[in-house]
Amino acid sequence: MVREDHLIQELDSTNINALTCNIEDLSNYLPPGSPNLSIITKNIRSIHKNSNIDDLEINLDLLEKNIDVLVLTECRIDPKKPLPNKPNYVTHNTTLKVNQNDGVVIFIKNSIEHSVKEINLSGASCLEISIFTYSIICIYRSPSEKNPDNFIKSLETHLNSPHLKNKNIIILGDININIIEGNCDNYGSIYLDMLAEHNLLPGHRFDTRINSCLDHIITNLNPTKFSATIAV
């Protein structure tokens, strides 16, 4: 089991500022100057629904800045339908099918050199982005998969991949394992323990849906070299 006091001490030793705010107020909390890399992740609940895309674009406009990487989860990808186009961005998507709700779609600025590969995780959709010194693992795991044991084991297997050794790793997305601070469930503790063994810690443990933290940003960023602001 994860010891809460130990985890809090570990989080205090990182150079991460985590907060909750309205999207239009986010710029008030960001440090001066542009970040080296800006990422947004959002559960879109069907990428083919025009109203969902319209709402997303409205929110992005409120930021008043360009985003480097946009990660959309629960995309409900229909291979017979085209994905929306975002000018000046390159689009990547998962192809492995788990259920009707799954799918991850990412948009990356076409000026940024990167590579993307699909990762086969148990009961989840996953894309891994290699960009700058980062490996960004983007995940959607459906809540219909009640027991996440196989998912946790498959993620651990991937984290043991040689290409991830000594990399700056960010795991993010809608993972549907509750890690809320002070009240995470047994699966949440197993999941956090596994991540901690790989020096990966949650960047936040805020309520993201009905007294649960199901949408995660996990990282191993070196506090002597990197700082980050995470906003929910």
Side-chain angles (χ1 to χ4, degrees):
M1 298 289 287
V2 171
R3 300 196 315 274
E4 292 291 327
D5 56 344
H6 175 72
L7 188 56
I8 290 170
Q9 290 174 1
E10 290 291 323
L11 289 172
D12 287 342
S13 71
T14 65
N15 196 9
I16 294 177
N17 176 34
L19 58 102
T20 60
C21 68
N22 294 324
I23 195 166
E24 61 268 27
D25 298 326
L26 178 59
S27 59
N28 298 328
Y29 299 96
L30 295 176
S34 299
N36 291 331
L37 186 66
S38 55
I39 306 170
I40 281 187
T41 178
K42 179 177 176 60
N43 187 312
I44 196 70
R45 294 185 179 86
S46 180
I47 198 166
H48 301 296
K49 192 173 181 180
N50 290 335
S51 60
N52 291 352
I53 297 300
D54 291 343
D55 288 343
L56 172 65
E57 292 298 339
I58 290 171
N59 285 328
L60 293 177
D61 287 343
L62 290 172
L63 285 174
E64 298 182 351
K65 74 182 303 300
N66 289 324
I67 299 300
D68 295 318
V69 181
L70 173 62
V71 179
L72 302 180
T73 59
E74 196 178 347
C75 291
R76 304 182 186 181
I77 297 171
D78 184 341
K80 297 179 182 178
K81 296 180 181 180
L83 296 172
N85 179 51
K86 190 169 177 58
N88 303 316
Y89 286 78
V90 179
T91 308
H92 303 271
N93 64 275
T94 53
T95 60
L96 301 175
K97 196 71 175 173
V98 179
N99 60 44
Q100 65 177 3
N101 294 336
D102 64 5
V104 173
V105 175
I106 57 177
F107 298 89
I108 304 175
K109 272 186 181 177
N110 55 18
S111 59
I112 297 176
E113 185 176 346
H114 67 275
S115 63
V116 175
K117 61 181 178 180
E118 187 166 10
I119 307 300
N120 189 3
L121 297 181
S122 178
S125 305
C126 180
L127 292 176
E128 180 180 299
I129 311 166
S130 294
I131 180 172
F132 305 145
T133 62
Y134 305 99
S135 287
I136 307 168
I137 302 172
C138 311
I139 299 173
Y140 173 70
R141 193 188 78 84
S142 171
S144 64
E145 299 285 332
K146 300 299 183 184
N147 186 334
D149 278 341
N150 288 335
F151 164 77
I152 294 170
K153 291 175 183 176
S154 66
L155 178 58
E156 181 175 24
T157 297
H158 182 64
L159 291 174
N160 286 323
S161 301
H163 77 278
L164 291 177
K165 186 177 181 180
N166 300 321
K167 291 297 291 283
N168 300 305
I169 299 172
I170 301 172
I171 300 172
L172 55 80
D174 183 0
I175 296 176
N176 285 300
I177 296 175
N178 185 17
I179 61 167
I180 197 162
E181 186 170 354
N183 195 32
C184 70
D185 58 24
N186 184 56
Y187 289 128
S189 297
I190 294 170
Y191 169 73
L192 290 175
D193 278 344
M194 182 277 290
L195 293 171
E197 289 177 0
H198 291 82
N199 298 316
L200 287 156
L201 296 171
H204 79 89
R205 298 177 73 187
F206 297 133
D207 180 345
T208 63
R209 267 176 290 166
I210 314 176
N211 300 318
S212 298
C213 181
L214 306 178
D215 305 272
H216 306 167
I217 298 177
I218 311 290
T219 181
N220 67 345
L221 296 183
N222 185 328
T224 65
K225 297 180 179 179
F226 298 96
S227 63
T229 299
I230 295 174
V232 175

